[in-house]
Amino acid sequence: MTGPMSSTPSPLPSDHRASLIDGKAFATALRQTIRQDVQDFRARHGITPGLAVVLVGNDPASEVYVRNKAIQTHHAGMRSFMHMLPESTSEQELLNLVERLNKDPEIHGILVQLPLPGGLDAGRVTNAILPEKDVDGLGVVNAGRLAVNQPGIVPCTPLGCLMLLRDQLGDMTGLHAVVIGCSNLVGKPLALLLLAEGCTVSIAHIHTRDTAALAREADILVVATGSRELVRGDWIKPGATVIDVGITRMQTPEGKSRLVGDVAFDEAVKVAGRITPVPGGVGPMTIACLLNNTLAAARMQVEGAGA
Ligand SMILES: Nc1nc(=O)c2c([nH]1)NC[C@@H]1CN(c3ccc(C(=O)N[C@@H](CCC(=O)O)C(=O)O)cc3)C=[N+]21
Ligand SMILES: [Mg+2]
């Protein structure tokens, strides 16, 4: 019995290395553009876009992300409003805060950091955010707009992946995109975006029978499972474009911390044509797209439809 990799000789030279998709550099350039656009927006309207970030509880990883979001929001010339609430916050208190932020004209975008502590219904809280301020694009209105190809706010991580893929590949018509992972946060919206790009899209999930065999068919392979190094080198079609959304913090034997993705990078880099590293791939794009969505939300609220 021979597997597909041994029966199909790889067309790649033995010293092949995928080119790295530099999400960090792309995000830096995007943030620079946004910073300029924010200045122009302020010059035209006398209004500074404002982003409110709500964090409930004290998960250390979430605190780091939220702080990074605030710093980058300021760097882009926008206002940042942080709301750090105790773990004991009730759903009603959280909904009351969202209601206040909905009504506040200085706030154009609202993000409630996920996951929420147990007992708080993320769906109810997310859907309480006005669709025009839902800069995460996770409420049912923006999710529905995406599903029917209407303009709306697209979730930050999928949007970041799409920007990288457009930059790398240009026209994606007819390419087979395989998305591993079907979350409402990443996999599902990204599959819809790739469909709109003209890809043939397959989604693999927990019940998929042979995910490795499906992955080997992919021209574009996106992995968003949160299962570290799930995808091995022999899951990848030679020359494929690989987008690794996963990010897991690990302890090295020396007691240092290290980030790893959902793709076994050292194996994948020998097979893929292009690949995002972790860190420095999708992660920085997520925050840049949050700023992008906040500016777009401010434009829509101030300049109206078609802005
Ligand atoms: N409502 C909501 N919206 C989110 O968008 C959201 C969320 N909740 N909860 C948590 C996840 C996670 N997330 C990341 C953002 C930036 C990096 C990032 O910048 N990563 C860097 C490394 C950062 C580090 O060193 O830890 C990189 O990959 O290079 C990663 C992950 C947004 N999330
Ligand atoms: Mg990354």
Side-chain angles (χ1 to χ4, degrees), residues 35 92 119 167 216 249 278:
R35 188 182 152 87
Q92 193 54 56
D167 180 57
R216 277 192 287 269
R249 195 169 294 279
V278 176

PDB file of all heavy atoms in Angstrom, residues 35 92 119 167 216 249 278:
ATOM      1  N   ARG A  35      -3.890  55.084   8.646  1.00  0.00           N
ATOM      2  CA  ARG A  35      -3.509  56.282   9.392  1.00  0.00           C
ATOM      3  C   ARG A  35      -3.692  57.543   8.538  1.00  0.00           C
ATOM      4  O   ARG A  35      -4.244  58.546   8.987  1.00  0.00           O
ATOM      5  CB  ARG A  35      -2.044  56.124   9.823  1.00  0.00           C
ATOM      6  CG  ARG A  35      -1.525  57.151  10.756  1.00  0.00           C
ATOM      7  CD  ARG A  35      -0.036  56.851  11.019  1.00  0.00           C
ATOM      8  NE  ARG A  35       0.666  58.072  11.337  1.00  0.00           N
ATOM      9  CZ  ARG A  35       0.741  58.557  12.580  1.00  0.00           C
ATOM     10  NH1 ARG A  35       0.203  57.915  13.576  1.00  0.00           N
ATOM     11  NH2 ARG A  35       1.365  59.673  12.811  1.00  0.00           N
ATOM     12  N   GLN A  92     -26.826  41.122  31.881  1.00  0.00           N
ATOM     13  CA  GLN A  92     -27.598  42.372  31.786  1.00  0.00           C
ATOM     14  C   GLN A  92     -26.674  43.585  31.876  1.00  0.00           C
ATOM     15  O   GLN A  92     -26.838  44.544  31.121  1.00  0.00           O
ATOM     16  CB  GLN A  92     -28.681  42.421  32.880  1.00  0.00           C
ATOM     17  CG  GLN A  92     -29.703  43.517  32.627  1.00  0.00           C
ATOM     18  CD  GLN A  92     -30.342  43.426  31.223  1.00  0.00           C
ATOM     19  OE1 GLN A  92     -30.903  42.401  30.849  1.00  0.00           O
ATOM     20  NE2 GLN A  92     -30.211  44.495  30.431  1.00  0.00           N
ATOM     21  N   GLY A 119     -21.410  31.504  31.425  1.00  0.00           N
ATOM     22  CA  GLY A 119     -22.634  32.133  31.898  1.00  0.00           C
ATOM     23  C   GLY A 119     -23.043  33.332  31.061  1.00  0.00           C
ATOM     24  O   GLY A 119     -24.192  33.754  31.126  1.00  0.00           O
ATOM     25  N   ASP A 167      -3.371  39.437  -2.621  1.00  0.00           N
ATOM     26  CA  ASP A 167      -2.047  40.000  -2.892  1.00  0.00           C
ATOM     27  C   ASP A 167      -1.122  38.944  -3.512  1.00  0.00           C
ATOM     28  O   ASP A 167      -0.361  39.231  -4.432  1.00  0.00           O
ATOM     29  CB  ASP A 167      -1.456  40.525  -1.580  1.00  0.00           C
ATOM     30  CG  ASP A 167      -0.079  41.140  -1.770  1.00  0.00           C
ATOM     31  OD1 ASP A 167       0.030  42.076  -2.593  1.00  0.00           O
ATOM     32  OD2 ASP A 167       0.873  40.691  -1.111  1.00  0.00           O
ATOM     33  N   ARG A 216      -5.047  17.529   0.407  1.00  0.00           N
ATOM     34  CA  ARG A 216      -4.076  17.301  -0.685  1.00  0.00           C
ATOM     35  C   ARG A 216      -4.610  17.734  -2.049  1.00  0.00           C
ATOM     36  O   ARG A 216      -3.864  17.835  -3.008  1.00  0.00           O
ATOM     37  CB  ARG A 216      -3.678  15.821  -0.736  1.00  0.00           C
ATOM     38  CG  ARG A 216      -2.575  15.463   0.254  1.00  0.00           C
ATOM     39  CD  ARG A 216      -2.005  14.078  -0.017  1.00  0.00           C
ATOM     40  NE  ARG A 216      -2.924  13.024   0.366  1.00  0.00           N
ATOM     41  CZ  ARG A 216      -2.955  12.438   1.573  1.00  0.00           C
ATOM     42  NH1 ARG A 216      -2.099  12.812   2.511  1.00  0.00           N
ATOM     43  NH2 ARG A 216      -3.815  11.509   1.838  1.00  0.00           N
ATOM     44  N   ARG A 249       0.106  29.034  22.193  1.00  0.00           N
ATOM     45  CA  ARG A 249       1.305  29.355  22.963  1.00  0.00           C
ATOM     46  C   ARG A 249       1.800  28.091  23.654  1.00  0.00           C
ATOM     47  O   ARG A 249       1.040  27.388  24.307  1.00  0.00           O
ATOM     48  CB  ARG A 249       0.994  30.448  23.997  1.00  0.00           C
ATOM     49  CG  ARG A 249       2.216  31.094  24.600  1.00  0.00           C
ATOM     50  CD  ARG A 249       1.852  32.338  25.394  1.00  0.00           C
ATOM     51  NE  ARG A 249       1.326  33.415  24.569  1.00  0.00           N
ATOM     52  CZ  ARG A 249       2.100  34.257  23.867  1.00  0.00           C
ATOM     53  NH1 ARG A 249       3.410  34.155  23.888  1.00  0.00           N
ATOM     54  NH2 ARG A 249       1.547  35.205  23.145  1.00  0.00           N
ATOM     55  N   VAL A 278       3.846  31.579  11.641  1.00  0.00           N
ATOM     56  CA  VAL A 278       3.245  31.912  12.945  1.00  0.00           C
ATOM     57  C   VAL A 278       4.390  32.060  13.928  1.00  0.00           C
ATOM     58  O   VAL A 278       5.165  31.108  14.096  1.00  0.00           O
ATOM     59  CB  VAL A 278       2.293  30.801  13.439  1.00  0.00           C
ATOM     60  CG1 VAL A 278       1.772  31.142  14.846  1.00  0.00           C
ATOM     61  CG2 VAL A 278       1.138  30.614  12.475  1.00  0.00           C
TER      62      VAL A 278
END
